[in-house]
Amino acid sequence: MQIFSKVLTDTDVHVRFSFPTRCLQHLDFAGNDSVDLHVKDSYGELRVIRCRKRKEGYAKPVLSKGWRDFVTDYGLRVGDMVVLHREDDQNLGSQFRIEANRRIKLFSKEDWGEVTRAN
């Protein structure tokens, strides 16, 4: 199940990645203001990316620790799209998968193509 997709902004690429508050329902913070998400990337590599939310007022969720490593590894830039999926497994519980896509133009037709690791 897709939790969110977002076209990256300058702040998303260079600082932290913010996403819609409505997506918090898919994450288990267990009363804390942060949770480490164990996500698989397009290569099946397990990554730990921290998701934080504000303690008071508007939650404003962001991906912080581990996020910039993902951006660097994939050479992401402003205008690329990131998609986070949750895959429920009866034995393992919730698993997350993250993918990066880049807008491509081929024969005057625009589409999204998967971004591969930069290194």
Side-chain angles (χ1 to χ4, degrees), residues 60-74:
K60 191 177 182 177
V62 297
L63 298 181
S64 57
K65 184 178 179 183
W67 167 249
R68 289 279 305 128
D69 291 337
F70 180 73
V71 169
T72 301
D73 290 350
Y74 279 80

Side-chain angles (χ1 to χ4, degrees), residues 4-6 18-24 58 61:
F4 64 75
S5 65
K6 181 181 178 191
S18 63
F19 60 94
T21 304
R22 64 177 161 69
C23 301
L24 288 173
Y58 173 63

Side-chain angles (χ1 to χ4, degrees), residues 44-61:
E45 181 180 326
L46 187 62
R47 296 172 172 273
V48 177
I49 300 176
R50 181 160 294 150
C51 179
R52 295 183 304 121
K53 65 178 182 172
R54 289 182 181 159
K55 293 179 184 180
E56 297 178 14
Y58 173 63
K60 191 177 182 177

